[in-house]
Amino acid sequence: VDVNHDEKIDFNEYIFFITILQLPEGEIMRALEKINPEEKKASKEQFEPELKLLRKKTALGHKQHSKSFIPDGRKIKTEEKNLSK
């Protein structure tokens, strides 16, 4: 998850990870095969365009691409102990 190895998970890394978790394994495999059929591997730069397409298929991605969706930070819940200092 910590792509830049700074021992912290920033927002972009978090969103990337959450998106991957929402996708069916078969969808991810097909995307990797499309990029590199032999090895089924891709760099972050290679995978990013595919991920953007796949993200639209997730519940959150679909909402974010809907014109009626407006994010509301007031609905985010956490405890103080979960926030980094």
Side-chain angles (χ1 to χ4, degrees):
V1 176
D2 183 18
V3 176
N4 62 4
H5 306 289
D6 65 353
E7 298 184 10
K8 296 176 183 171
I9 298 172
D10 64 34
F11 184 73
N12 290 331
E13 292 168 332
Y14 172 77
I15 292 299
F16 180 82
F17 183 67
I18 293 300
T19 301
I20 293 293
L21 288 176
Q22 291 182 31
L23 295 170
E25 190 176 317
E27 293 281 340
I28 297 168
M29 187 59 69
R30 279 189 287 281
L32 290 171
E33 287 173 345
K34 184 176 174 183
I35 296 166
N36 187 339
E38 292 84 34
E39 295 181 21
K40 297 177 183 75
K41 293 181 182 179
S43 69
K44 181 181 176 188
E45 290 76 24
Q46 291 173 312
F47 192 63
E48 204 164 357
E50 291 298 318
L51 182 62
K52 286 181 182 179
L53 294 173
L54 291 171
R55 188 164 187 241
K56 292 177 184 178
K57 296 180 180 181
T58 66
L60 180 59
H62 182 70
K63 284 182 183 178
Q64 288 177 341
H65 290 282
S66 167
K67 291 182 180 181
S68 63
F69 175 73
I70 300 172
D72 187 352
R74 296 173 293 180
K75 294 181 180 179
I76 298 172
K77 306 249 188 270
T78 190
E79 297 178 24
E80 188 172 344
K81 68 180 182 179
N82 295 331
L83 302 173
S84 63
K85 296 183 180 192

